[in-house]
């Protein structure tokens, strides 16, 4: 059996970086510690994972009530992204050269509306 | 700038894609970057460990587990405002810098590629031996349902699906085993037939008074026309017994090395166990056209010399092609035959185990013990 993977139809500019106002990138790669799970094992389909914000170039990932600071890294060896369609073609989508890695300990965050609630609880006791 | 990440809605109408990350060695990444590799090919039968090939090299696939999760994101044009943004940040709602990405896959491993030397020649010998071409008479019988009629014939594409080697490596392996493409299928030429052909061909050159150092393909076809041998086989056999004097000019010179090796192989194969060197040389000379001088160096990788009790040298047939393709197995078998090998003697049997001298030295370091007597290097088993 031989499966031919064309490399010519790949996204030539998609190197793993997230889009910026001046450049758009089709694919990106994010590395997080552990695994992402939904509470109660509900399907993740359609669910929002979170946000990435850039603070003076430093990427920050916000998932639920956690905030993770990260950094952009150049991969030692590039990664080709293959997409296999069962019983059909295998495509090389792009070659990724960078990734965003979020390996710091998550910092809990409070939304505006909840600020002060912890103090309130203290006073009650 | 904000990037919103979202898992895609499960859509039963969309195919269930499977995503894989493949770590590319620098030379492969470069080929793809420069547009030099239009395709990569995954090869192998179901029972094989799959390999990926470029046009010229073969890589084994090795899955590497990661402790972290790799999220593959794909840019999505659908604008789904994040609830947090709606409630809390009016400025951000109007932020044109907001981009949306959907999480295409969560991956816990990637595939590492490791360059390997394909076992193409050994595999080809196994696949093609049953359908070996034995000459016009046997070929006719085969076509009529005689011996060999049930042998499977393999085309280029069929071999590409079985042999786990790149296009160029497969081509070079087909050259190494001396296969000819006959009516779309690759066939080996039987050594016996090749010898008959050599005798016929050299005799014809003699009769037609052709210069054996300046022959054209036209000459060959003309001389062999009456023997009912397919043109492809005539030209192939001619190439097997000659060297092209000037590449591209189509002028061939019969090669003493190639012809003597062919006749010598035939004689060696008929030696039952072993025979004295002098007997062998006499027999070899007899079957070799007199225009060519026999010399043992032509038979590298085919024979072993041993000294018998009467201090006579004896020779036996010991072809590299019968040894196992895996380095460890092959060296083990070699050390069973001989406990200690001189470097020059063992080289013909192990050279193809590694792609270059440095890697071969590493293999020898791993599986053998090296000793020196004067300038002579010897290898013996490590076990």
């Amino acid at each position: 059996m031989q499966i031919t993977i064309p490399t010519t139809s790949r996204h030539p500019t998609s190197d793993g970086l997230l889009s910026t106002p001046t450049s758009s990138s089709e694919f990106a790669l994010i590395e997080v510690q552990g695994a992402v799970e939904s509470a109660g094992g509900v399907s993740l389909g359609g669910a929002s994972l979170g946000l990435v914000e850039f603070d003076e170039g430093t990427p920050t990932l916000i998932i639920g009530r956690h905030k993770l600071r990260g950094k952009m890294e150049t991969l030692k060896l590039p990664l080709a992204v293959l997409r296999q369609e069962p019983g059909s073609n295998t495509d090389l989508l792009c070659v990724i050269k960078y990734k965003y890695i979020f390996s710091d300990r998550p910092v809990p965050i409070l939304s505006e509306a909840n600020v002060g609630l912890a103090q309130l609880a203290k006073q009650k006791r | 700038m904000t990037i919103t990440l979202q898992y895609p809605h499960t859509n039963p109408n969309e195919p269930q894609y499977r995503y894989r990350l493949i770590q590319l060695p620098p030379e492969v990444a470069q080929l793809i970057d420069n547009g030099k590799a239009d395709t990569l090919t995954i090869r192998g039968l179901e029972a094989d460990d799959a390999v990926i090939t470029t046009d010229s090299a073969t890589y084994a696939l090795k899955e590497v587990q990661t402790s972290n999760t790799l999220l593959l994101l794909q840019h999505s044009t659908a604008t789904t405002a994040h609830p947090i943004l709606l409630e809390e940040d009016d400025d951000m709602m109007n932020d044109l810098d907001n981009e949306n990405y959907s999480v295409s896959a969560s991956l816990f491993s990637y595939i590492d590629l490791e360059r390997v030397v394909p076992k193409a020649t050994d595999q080809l010998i196994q696949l093609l031996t049953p359908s070996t071409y034995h000459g016009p008479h046997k070929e006719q019988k085969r076509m009529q349902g005689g011996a060999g009629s049930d042998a499977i014939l393999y085309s280029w594409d069929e071999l590409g699906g079985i042999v786990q080697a790149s296009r160029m490596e497969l081509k070079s392996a087909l050259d190494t085993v001396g296969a000819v493409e006959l009516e779309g299928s690759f066939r080996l030429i039987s050594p016996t037939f090749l010898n008959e052909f050599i005798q016929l061909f050299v005799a014809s050159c003699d009769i037609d008074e052709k210069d054996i150092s300046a022959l054209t393909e036209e000459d060959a076809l003309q001389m062999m026309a009456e023997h009912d041998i397919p043109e492809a086989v005539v030209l192939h056999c001619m190439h097997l017994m000659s060297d092209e004097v000037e590449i591209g000019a189509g002028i061939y010179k019969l090669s003493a090395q190639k012809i003597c090796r062919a006749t010598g192989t035939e004689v060696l194969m008929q030696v039952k166990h072993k025979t004295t060197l002098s007997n062998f040389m006499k027999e070899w000379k007899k079957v070799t056209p007199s225009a060519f001088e026999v010399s043992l160096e032509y038979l590298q990788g085919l024979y072993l010399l041993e000294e018998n009790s009467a201090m006579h040298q004896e020779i036996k047939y010991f072809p590299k092609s019968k040894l196992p393709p895996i380095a460890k197995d092959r060296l083990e078998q070699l050390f069973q035959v001989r406990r200690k090998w001189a470097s020059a003697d063992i080289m013909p049997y192990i050279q193809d185990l590694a792609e270059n001298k440095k890697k071969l030295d590493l293999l020898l370091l791993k599986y053998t013990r090296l000793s020196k007597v004067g300038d002579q290097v010897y290898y013996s088993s490590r076990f």
Side-chain angles (χ1 to χ4, degrees), chain B residues 192-207 224 241 259 262-263 266 284-290:
Chain B
T192 313
F193 171 72
L194 180 60
N195 271 281
E196 287 167 17
F197 185 93
I198 288 172
Q199 310 296 345
L200 263 178
F201 193 90
V202 176
S204 295
C205 288
D206 211 22
I207 293 164
M224 304 310 279
M241 58 195 278
I259 287 177
T263 56
E266 178 72 358
W284 187 13
K285 224 173 150 161
K286 210 160 74 189
V287 300
T288 305
S290 56

Side-chain angles (χ1 to χ4, degrees), chain B residues 299-317:
Chain B
L299 295 181
Q300 248 201 11
L302 289 173
Y303 71 93
L304 281 182
L305 283 182
E306 283 162 11
E307 221 147 82
N308 68 6
S309 48
M311 300 298 275
H312 283 131
Q313 280 203 304
E314 292 184 318
I315 189 168
K316 74 174 182 188
Y317 183 46

Side-chain angles (χ1 to χ4, degrees), chain A residues 10-17 25 27-29 72-81 94-100, chain B residues 21-22 24 26 28-30 32-34:
Chain A
R10 75 188 196 282
H11 288 264
T13 54
S14 226
D15 48 12
L17 292 179
S25 175
F27 296 96
L29 196 63
M72 198 264 281
E73 237 177 45
T74 304
L75 298 173
K76 282 196 196 76
L77 290 173
L79 289 166
V81 179
C94 62
V95 177
I96 283 181
K97 292 174 179 152
Y98 308 96
K99 70 177 173 189
Y100 296 91
Chain B
L21 296 173
I22 304 209
L24 302 175
V28 179
Q30 215 165 30
I32 294 176
D33 258 0
N34 301 343

Side-chain angles (χ1 to χ4, degrees), chain B residues 142-378:
Chain B
R142 190 188 71 82
M143 304 281 262
Q144 291 161 355
S149 62
D150 52 352
I152 302 166
L153 296 175
Y154 295 97
S155 68
W156 170 260
D157 276 343
E158 286 162 341
L159 287 175
I162 301 170
V163 179
Q164 294 188 290
S166 68
R167 201 182 62 86
M168 273 162 71
E169 288 163 329
L170 177 58
K171 200 166 174 298
S172 120
L174 281 166
D175 282 347
T176 307
V177 301
V180 60
E181 189 173 4
L182 186 56
E183 288 159 2
S185 304
F186 282 88
R187 310 275 301 273
L188 296 177
I189 300 292
S190 108
T192 313
F193 171 72
L194 180 60
N195 271 281
E196 287 167 17
F197 185 93
I198 288 172
Q199 310 296 345
L200 263 178
F201 193 90
V202 176
S204 295
C205 288
D206 211 22
I207 293 164
D208 293 1
E209 294 181 340
K210 296 275 187 201
D211 179 358
I212 58 166
S213 53
L215 292 163
T216 63
E217 293 188 336
E218 196 52 42
D219 290 334
L221 293 175
Q222 214 170 18
M223 285 191 295
M224 304 310 279
E226 59 185 298
H227 297 293
D228 203 25
I229 305 167
E231 289 193 354
V233 175
V234 171
L235 295 180
H236 181 71
C237 290
M238 180 200 184
H239 297 153
L240 286 181
M241 58 195 278
S242 62
D243 295 320
E244 197 169 0
V245 179
E246 205 181 308
I247 303 297
I251 308 288
Y252 295 85
K253 173 184 196 262
L254 292 188
S255 149
Q257 196 250 335
K258 289 179 175 175
I259 287 177
C260 293
R261 188 173 171 93
T263 56
T265 308
E266 178 72 358
V267 177
L268 263 178
M269 281 171 79
Q270 280 160 11
V271 171
K272 284 263 158 49
H273 183 50
K274 46 185 148 184
T275 187
T276 59
L277 184 59
S278 54
N279 256 345
F280 169 75
M281 294 302 280
K282 207 159 45 183
E283 195 60 32
W284 187 13
K285 224 173 150 161
K286 210 160 74 189
V287 300
T288 305
S290 56
F292 307 99
E293 186 93 33
V294 301
S295 158
L296 260 191
E297 68 179 274
Y298 295 151
L299 295 181
Q300 248 201 11
L302 289 173
Y303 71 93
L304 281 182
L305 283 182
E306 283 162 11
E307 221 147 82
N308 68 6
S309 48
M311 300 298 275
H312 283 131
Q313 280 203 304
E314 292 184 318
I315 189 168
K316 74 174 182 188
Y317 183 46
F318 188 67
K320 199 213 84 187
S321 58
K322 295 266 166 66
L323 293 170
I326 313 290
K328 182 170 182 287
D329 301 348
R330 188 180 303 177
L331 285 163
E332 250 168 41
Q333 196 157 332
L334 284 168
F335 289 123
Q336 268 167 27
V337 174
R338 245 183 219 185
R339 285 181 51 206
K340 203 174 185 185
W341 286 80
S343 175
D345 288 349
I346 200 170
M347 277 308 155
Y349 294 104
I350 59 172
Q351 230 149 23
D352 65 328
L353 288 176
E355 68 204 86
N356 55 42
K357 175 91 176 60
K358 208 172 130 195
K359 292 205 171 159
L360 188 61
D361 284 344
L362 279 176
L363 267 183
L364 287 169
L365 201 66
K366 188 167 171 195
Y367 294 119
T368 69
R369 196 182 297 281
L370 189 144
S371 54
K372 270 187 179 172
V373 179
D375 280 346
Q376 183 66 268
V377 174
Y378 290 93

